[in-house]
Amino acid sequence: MHSNPTHWSIDSDKAAQLLKSHYGIGGKLTLLPGEIDLNFKVTTADKKQYVFKIAPEGVDSDYLDFQQKILLHLKGQEAPQVISDINQNPTAVFYDDQGEKRFMRLLSWISGRVWSQVNPYSETLRYRLGVSCGSLTQRLQSFDHPYAHRYFEWDLAQGIWVEAHLSLFNKKQKATLQFFIDSFKDIQEPYQALRKSVVHNDANDNNIIVSEDTIDPSIRSLIDYGDAIHTQTLNDLAICCAYAVMDVPDPLEAALPVVKGYHDSFPLEANELAFLYILIGMRLVVSVTKSAINKIENPSNEYLGISEKPAWELLQKWVTIDEDFAHFRFREACGLEPHPNYSDFVAWAKQEEVSLRGLFPTLERTSVFPLDLSVSSSWVGGEDTFNDLDYFQFKLNQIQKTNSDKLIAGGYLEPRSLYTSSAYEKYGNEGLEKRCIHLGVDFWVPPTTPVHALYEGEVVMAVNDEGEKAYGGMIVLRHTFKKVAFYSLYGHLSKKSITNVQIGEKVGNGACIGWIGTVTENGNWAPHLHFQLTLSLLGYQNDFPGVAYHKQIQTWQSLCPDPNLLFKSADLSIPSKVNSDTLIKDRKAHLGRGMSLQYQTPIHVVRGAGAFLVDQNGRHYLDMVNNVAHVGHEHPKVVKAGQLQMGQLNTNTRYLHENITRLAKRLTATLPKELSVVHFVNSGSEANELALRMIKTVTGSNQILACESGYHGNTNACIDISSYKFDGKGGSGKPEQVHIFPIPDSFRGKYRGVDTAGDYVVEVEEQIALLEQQQKKVGGLIIEPIISCGGQIELPKGFLQGAFKAIRKAGGLCVVDEVQTGCGRVGSHFWGFELHGVVPDIVTIGKPLGNGHPVAAVVCTPEIASQFNNGMEFFNTFGGNPVSCAIAHEVLEVIEEDKLQENARIVGNFLKLGLSELAKKHLILGEVRGQGLFLGVEFVNQHLQPLAAQADYMINRMKTFGVLLSTDGPDHNVIKIKPPLVFSMHHARYFLNHFSLVLQEDFMK
Ligand SMILES: Cc1ncc(COP(=O)(O)O)c(C=O)c1O
């Protein structure tokens, strides 16, 4: 153990004198924290930097020699370089005021920041840490020194001393410490035989220097070689892991990139990996014991206890991790087969001949009807459908009817969306994570069907695993292959089954072990057998996971081998699904290149559910972008309305049909009475196109005023009025008949601050005057009530009223584009224009109306409608068809029934308030604006210059936490928030928590 250092009478002036006299170097000295040495950062006039270290009195010169020799051995590669004194000695000597001999050393300064100051710790950075530690270990293989073979309490191999101090801890703490101490004692024999070398032995978070790069930081160096020791080489990785995974929800997962990186630069041996879990635990045990002792011996030295709290938190989490599971995960990280017995099992299973009839001899079914229950299966339907067990069973019966000789089965490694109870969720390092990978094969057979053992075995579990979506009756048998254990698990059995067998009882090959349970006794599932194999029980006694996290799929696949290795049924083999790479390739080959994909690694979505999008692996993303899925992705009522009408009739509007008039009445009932006539079309673009035609027909003019940065659609005429497009990339400026007025942005627009409406109205008036000067008549004005693509810009109060007045005075029509903002999104009102106390002449409606189905509308006054009807028929093949109208009508019903406008108001206000609070603390959030669930957050610096990179960083980081956002605005520095209106307070809190976390990250400072 180190003695407590004393450094009487050496201040920075004295140290500066010593540095000058012994090294010939002058400069500014700043005291650095340190446990033993007195450390100063030296900055010379010519900006060279060093660390000047003065050892305390009584320090063994061999100890200093040892450290200097290590550094000289490493020759400055990823380690500080030794600077000799003026006499060419690596260590210099002086006598202090007490006449004590003291030693000094000068090292090169490694620029950067210590690991503890980094935020966030990405997987890449943890991997790089592993690589650095591993390469250091590698380079120290050829180093040795007598001092490396000393007694040292921080040497894990000598760590048993901690047991004598257990009395310092409370009962719960003691139990945790004792667990690791006992485990460590148990492994002593094989552990002692592991390879040894001199290692750094203290890669703690203040000894790792990270580059200043805040987006893609690298590891610059490991410093402080004072704890180096000759010991089991693996200890070094354990120590590195112990510090690198503090303060994370899931430390095992965080350790994996470190292990992988270490292995990539210093290959670990398979027998070492079995001990890594215990050694990480032991490092924490030594650390908290040292802290407890130091607290008594040096109550004032805070540095000594710096990692006590996080070390305890980590210990309490680490002890709950299964040692075997950690071992398998470490093996996977090192490229080994995760379960050591897997390959032998596969080889054995290959020789086996097991019939499916063996499981259900009474059914006489030997072949399989494969049932796809994966997240991308359309057979499954939405949550309401798959949780309706009568319906689910009905669909199964339909299959069975036409496949009476087959077992309906499948599901091994299938990502599923069926696991909807909270027991399948946890908070991991990347936000909320859901277990969804099915580890067994399900056989959909009737209740009471007898289930038989495939091999002779011993009953090791027979439990009633109660709870929603649990196993119900569950039996596990232990078998052996080539004298090695494996287990078979039978889930969803009847209650009777579990009293039918006894733990420890031997069952013969082919013996009946139980019966399929009913819905009420099987965890509330349609009756089936969950049949799973496993090579280890991982310490479970009354349960065993049947579903795993996707990111651990490889480990689980190895731990729980495919039951079809035994059955060998082609119909039970895992179906191949199209992967993202193929989709990207196919898009490149066959789709227009202008159709962009979002995110560097695009998301492959296969399912929508309320406020979530689900990818092909079952990952749920909270969708805060998609205002098209207005009432929630795949809202069951909307889906049903479409399905029913599609099965009955779909045709054009030249026939009488109730759906179109019912929808027209329902829609106009939400609008001011003046707006009573509807034309149905298929998209927002088509709606605006029609509005432009109406203007031209009614006013005789095609002269349109439109807003800077506005977007109104993708057709020729719509692009012509969309400054967002023609002023943007690939655009060729405005056409002659279009007149753009400045975006009424009171934050960063032409006129800023309060009461800007008048100034912006004048801009509109000036455009009108200019037209009139040119003897041209105004046709109309088109604008959104909140400018979406322009960056969620709220129009200043009074602007729309003034602008409408001026347009109408000039004989023009006023069109409000509600394609983004309509149908209750703004919360306080059903339509965005109502925020401004105006009634437009024409309203165009798109996105939200069909909840994803292409239906849009143009609503106008009867006068405009009758003038537009100039003899030319208005015909639209698809617009207003009965299916689209049924869907849109249901959307309007759901908005009302589910009180979604009210939800938009309440949750929107909560979000806006939460973001505004964050904006007070984080000045880069220049403005939080918008209404209801149509909000914008603008990122700027103190000069109001746009911070697009920060906005982009935010959306990418939020994606890692499973939240989808997008940026917009002419400078791409505004984050748009426009989730489906089912977005709840719970979702809002999740978003705000993570938004706040990301704001604290280094790049945001
Ligand atoms: C305000 C606005 N108007 C019109 C459109 C065009 O609608 P669609 O893409 O349905 O043609 C959009 C589309 O994003 C829009 O945002």
Side-chain angles (χ1 to χ4, degrees):
M1 212 193 315
H2 302 301
S3 60
N4 185 26
T6 50
H7 294 287
W8 293 311
S9 68
I10 300 177
D11 57 14
S12 48
D13 288 344
K14 171 81 181 162
Q17 281 169 21
L18 289 165
L19 181 67
K20 186 84 199 158
S21 54
H22 287 78
Y23 291 88
I25 291 174
K28 189 169 159 280
L29 271 65
T30 339
L31 189 63
L32 298 168
E35 189 186 351
I36 298 168
D37 289 339
L38 196 57
N39 294 325
F40 294 94
K41 178 179 180 181
V42 180
T43 309
T44 65
D46 56 352
K47 300 267 181 292
K48 282 198 183 124
Q49 294 183 315
Y50 305 93
V51 185
F52 183 39
K53 296 169 84 67
I54 303 175
E57 63 190 51
V59 160
D60 188 345
S61 61
D62 284 350
Y63 174 49
L64 298 178
D65 178 65
F66 169 53
Q67 292 179 59
Q68 296 299 76
K69 290 269 166 61
I70 293 181
L71 294 177
L72 288 167
H73 176 85
L74 295 171
K75 296 196 191 76
Q77 285 177 43
E78 291 185 45
Q81 221 170 330
V82 175
I83 315 289
S84 299
D85 72 359
I86 46 179
N87 300 319
Q88 301 311 310
N89 294 318
T91 309
V93 176
F94 76 100
Y95 289 86
D96 68 15
D97 293 350
Q98 278 68 37
E100 298 289 343
K101 188 177 181 184
R102 303 283 290 271
F103 297 98
M104 299 171 284
R105 292 176 293 145
L106 189 66
L107 305 178
S108 62
W109 176 260
I110 313 273
S111 66
R113 52 211 168 120
V114 289
W115 178 273
S116 58
Q117 287 171 0
V118 175
N119 182 13
Y121 303 110
S122 67
E123 207 165 285
T124 309
L125 187 60
R126 286 203 175 93
Y127 172 79
R128 288 174 179 166
L129 174 63
V131 169
S132 289
C133 289
S135 66
L136 181 60
T137 306
Q138 180 66 57
R139 275 182 284 122
L140 288 177
Q141 292 299 295
S142 52
F143 178 83
D144 208 350
H145 189 281
Y147 210 86
H149 300 262
R150 66 193 185 279
Y151 171 70
F152 189 39
E153 289 188 345
W154 285 103
D155 175 12
L156 288 186
Q158 306 174 45
I160 299 289
W161 66 266
V162 289
E163 197 171 19
H165 299 268
L166 281 175
S167 59
L168 293 173
F169 302 97
N170 67 32
K171 203 169 152 200
K172 186 179 169 213
Q173 291 173 325
K174 228 183 264 180
T176 303
L177 301 180
Q178 193 76 60
F179 168 79
F180 286 109
I181 294 168
D182 288 348
S183 306
F184 187 50
K185 281 182 179 167
D186 287 348
I187 60 164
Q188 278 309 302
E189 203 183 312
Y191 172 71
Q192 290 302 338
L194 296 184
R195 62 182 160 163
K196 295 181 179 176
S197 60
V198 175
V199 296
H200 178 279
N201 204 44
D202 194 19
N204 77 48
D205 45 9
N206 285 318
N207 283 344
I208 301 160
I209 306 293
V210 180
S211 71
E212 298 284 5
D213 187 330
T214 51
I215 294 244
D216 188 26
S218 56
I219 305 293
R220 302 287 322 273
S221 172
L222 259 83
I223 57 169
D224 192 351
Y225 289 72
D227 283 8
I229 193 89
H230 185 270
T231 190
Q232 276 74 0
T233 311
L234 182 66
N235 295 351
D236 212 27
L237 172 60
I239 291 163
C240 177
C241 285
Y243 291 94
V245 305
M246 282 182 183
D247 295 321
V248 294
D250 188 341
L252 176 60
E253 292 305 309
L256 300 178
V258 184
V259 175
K260 183 174 172 14
Y262 190 90
H263 178 73
D264 284 351
S265 54
F266 180 76
L268 291 156
E269 293 172 359
N271 62 341
E272 289 175 312
L273 288 170
F275 306 119
L276 186 54
Y277 167 81
I278 295 171
L279 291 175
I280 293 172
M282 268 310 281
R283 171 61 182 212
L284 296 166
V285 172
V286 172
S287 173
V288 296
T289 307
K290 283 295 234 178
S291 297
I293 294 169
N294 281 329
K295 248 201 284 191
I296 295 166
E297 289 180 357
N298 303 295
S300 59
N301 191 336
E302 284 173 17
Y303 182 84
L304 297 175
I306 202 161
S307 56
E308 187 184 11
K309 191 168 165 274
W312 262 118
E313 281 169 6
L314 176 54
L315 252 182
Q316 300 296 15
K317 277 185 201 155
W318 201 249
V319 75
T320 64
I321 296 168
D322 182 81
E323 181 184 340
D324 286 343
F325 188 70
H327 177 204
F328 305 151
R329 293 296 282 149
F330 293 143
R331 282 178 60 94
E332 183 189 322
C334 295
L336 296 169
E337 182 61 49
H339 199 289
N341 299 344
Y342 178 78
S343 308
D344 287 346
F345 180 83
V346 172
W348 170 79
K350 253 191 200 151
Q351 312 297 321
E352 290 293 292
E353 279 189 26
V354 179
S355 161
L356 281 166
R357 267 199 72 185
L359 267 181
F360 309 108
T362 57
L363 290 183
E364 305 204 345
R365 292 178 202 154
T366 47
S367 61
V368 164
F369 178 93
L371 181 65
D372 181 1
L373 293 181
S374 72
V375 67
S376 53
S377 160
S378 53
W379 190 89
V380 176
E383 189 174 333
D384 62 317
T385 314
F386 62 72
N387 276 338
D388 179 344
L389 297 189
D390 290 339
Y391 184 53
F392 193 94
Q393 188 62 54
F394 168 79
K395 292 200 295 177
L396 286 172
N397 294 347
Q398 296 294 101
I399 297 175
Q400 195 73 77
K401 222 190 273 175
T402 45
N403 298 275
S404 55
D405 58 335
K406 292 190 173 165
L407 273 171
I408 303 172
Y412 180 64
L413 293 192
E414 207 165 61
R416 292 178 168 180
S417 48
L418 309 179
Y419 308 106
T420 44
S421 89
S422 58
Y424 293 90
E425 287 179 0
K426 75 162 184 195
Y427 193 82
N429 300 342
E430 296 182 339
L432 193 69
E433 295 174 4
K434 284 175 185 273
R435 282 190 293 140
C436 69
I437 302 296
H438 190 247
L439 297 173
V441 172
D442 285 332
F443 294 94
W444 302 90
V445 295
T448 74
T449 304
V451 178
H452 292 246
L454 291 176
Y455 290 95
E456 68 170 17
E458 177 191 333
V459 179
V460 291
M461 281 189 220
V463 291
N464 187 12
D465 176 37
E466 281 182 303
E468 176 70 10
K469 307 282 181 193
Y471 282 125
M474 191 263 257
I475 290 175
V476 177
L477 303 182
R478 180 182 189 278
H479 316 278
T480 51
F481 73 96
K482 295 182 179 168
K483 299 200 175 126
V484 177
F486 77 99
Y487 304 84
S488 57
L489 181 157
Y490 308 80
H492 310 303
L493 300 177
S494 66
K495 267 193 188 151
K496 188 175 89 174
S497 312
I498 55 170
T499 50
N500 186 51
V501 290
Q502 303 279 323
I503 304 289
E505 180 185 332
K506 300 270 187 295
V507 296
N509 181 356
C512 173
I513 54 160
W515 299 268
I516 297 294
T518 60
V519 172
T520 52
E521 51 190 357
N522 78 353
N524 204 21
W525 298 96
H528 69 286
L529 175 72
H530 173 102
F531 178 74
Q532 183 174 331
L533 300 175
T534 184
L535 301 178
S536 299
L537 284 183
L538 304 178
Y540 282 93
Q541 287 171 348
N542 298 309
D543 192 9
F544 191 82
V547 184
Y549 294 102
H550 180 265
K551 66 179 175 196
Q552 299 176 339
I553 191 168
Q554 215 181 314
T555 295
W556 283 101
Q557 175 171 16
S558 180
L559 172 61
C560 298
D562 186 353
N564 199 35
L565 288 167
L566 298 173
F567 302 126
K568 303 175 181 63
S569 157
D571 290 322
L572 266 187
S573 55
I574 304 168
S576 65
K577 297 257 168 169
V578 61
N579 66 29
S580 303
D581 291 343
T582 310
L583 291 178
I584 290 171
K585 209 172 104 224
D586 289 350
R587 275 180 77 109
K588 279 192 181 145
H590 302 295
L591 299 184
R593 293 292 172 102
M595 293 168 64
S596 65
L597 278 167
Q598 208 173 345
Y599 298 117
Q600 229 165 25
T601 314
I603 303 173
H604 174 190
V605 285
V606 293
R607 177 168 285 269
F612 290 92
L613 283 170
V614 188
D615 77 7
Q616 81 281 21
N617 299 322
R619 168 122 214 227
H620 281 57
Y621 289 96
L622 185 59
D623 182 359
M624 295 184 66
V625 176
N626 211 323
N627 55 340
V628 179
H630 192 64
V631 298
H633 286 283
E634 317 338 313
H635 192 289
K637 287 189 177 166
V638 177
V639 170
K640 197 161 190 180
Q643 284 171 336
L644 289 178
Q645 185 57 48
M646 192 126 168
Q648 189 182 359
L649 172 75
N650 201 19
T651 186
N652 65 49
T653 52
R654 284 193 176 123
Y655 305 93
L656 284 177
H657 199 281
E658 188 195 347
N659 284 12
I660 189 166
T661 47
R662 187 179 60 156
L663 174 61
K665 282 198 280 183
R666 186 81 176 74
L667 189 59
T668 50
T670 66
L671 285 155
K673 61 180 183 335
E674 297 88 329
L675 295 165
S676 59
V677 184
V678 189
H679 291 74
F680 287 109
V681 290
N682 307 289
S683 67
S685 303
E686 235 192 305
N688 284 329
E689 184 83 24
L690 180 57
L692 293 174
R693 266 183 68 198
M694 286 178 167
I695 290 176
K696 196 170 166 197
T697 310
V698 172
T699 67
S701 166
N702 65 349
Q703 303 295 318
I704 304 293
L705 269 73
C707 182
E708 177 192 1
S709 292
Y711 175 68
H712 300 286
N714 60 33
T715 62
N716 272 314
C718 286
I719 294 291
D720 279 353
I721 55 168
S722 299
S723 135
Y724 181 74
K725 288 287 179 194
F726 62 64
D727 284 334
K729 245 194 213 164
S732 46
K734 81 174 190 61
E736 208 185 316
Q737 76 281 11
V738 175
H739 313 280
I740 298 299
F741 53 87
I743 185 164
D745 173 2
S746 308
F747 180 59
R748 286 209 307 131
K750 186 165 177 186
Y751 308 106
R752 301 178 184 186
V754 284
D755 294 339
T756 56
D759 292 328
Y760 285 113
V761 170
V762 168
E763 293 282 343
V764 172
E765 288 168 345
E766 280 175 7
Q767 296 282 355
I768 297 170
L770 219 63
L771 270 174
E772 285 171 350
Q773 268 171 29
Q774 298 163 15
Q775 323 287 306
K776 288 182 187 159
K777 187 173 175 327
V778 174
L781 170 144
I782 183 164
I783 190 164
E784 288 180 276
I786 296 177
I787 314 285
S788 53
C789 294
Q792 309 289 86
I793 304 294
E794 282 189 89
L795 305 178
K797 230 180 173 53
F799 168 75
L800 219 48
Q801 284 179 351
F804 276 22
K805 197 167 156 200
I807 292 287
R808 284 175 175 152
K809 194 169 151 215
L813 297 179
C814 300
V815 181
V816 170
D817 180 336
E818 291 277 358
V819 170
Q820 296 251 9
T821 48
C823 299
R825 176 159 295 279
V826 298
S828 56
H829 299 83
F830 199 82
W831 300 104
F833 65 78
E834 292 173 299
L835 293 165
H836 303 284
V838 294
V839 178
D841 302 303
I842 301 172
V843 172
T844 55
I845 306 161
K847 299 181 191 292
L849 196 56
N851 210 47
H853 179 89
V855 48
V858 179
V859 188
C860 63
T861 60
E863 297 76 35
I864 291 174
S866 72
Q867 287 175 58
F868 179 61
N869 183 23
N870 64 358
M872 186 190 285
E873 183 199 8
F874 176 75
F875 177 69
N876 192 313
T877 303
F878 303 118
N881 71 70
V883 172
S884 300
C885 290
I887 288 172
H889 188 265
E890 199 56 46
V891 168
L892 296 176
E893 289 283 314
V894 169
I895 295 170
E896 190 177 319
E897 279 170 20
D898 295 358
K899 299 191 172 50
L900 293 182
Q901 182 186 332
E902 178 71 347
N903 189 63
R905 189 181 63 79
I906 294 170
V907 181
N909 283 345
F910 175 75
L911 263 180
K912 196 172 174 184
L913 191 71
L915 284 165
S916 305
E917 288 300 317
L918 288 175
K920 283 183 200 158
K921 277 190 261 165
H922 302 275
L923 299 181
I924 61 169
L925 306 187
E927 194 178 52
V928 177
R929 57 184 174 242
Q931 292 293 320
L933 285 174
F934 200 67
L935 303 175
V937 187
E938 180 148 18
F939 285 64
V940 290
N941 65 15
Q942 73 262 43
H943 308 295
L944 292 195
Q945 284 157 339
L947 295 177
Q950 279 75 357
D952 193 51
Y953 177 89
M954 174 61 85
I955 62 165
N956 279 301
R957 287 289 294 143
M958 290 299 276
K959 182 192 166 207
T960 5
F961 292 119
V963 179
L964 303 182
L965 290 164
S966 64
T967 55
D968 219 329
D971 297 312
H972 311 287
N973 66 326
V974 180
I975 288 188
K976 298 210 284 193
I977 295 174
K978 46 192 184 91
L981 296 195
V982 286
F983 193 81
S984 67
M985 292 294 264
H986 174 69
H987 300 141
R989 281 190 203 101
Y990 183 88
F991 161 79
L992 286 170
N993 285 345
H994 289 89
F995 201 82
S996 164
L997 281 180
V998 178
L999 283 170
Q1000 292 161 43
E1001 293 183 358
D1002 300 331
F1003 186 66
M1004 295 306 213
K1005 289 182 182 143

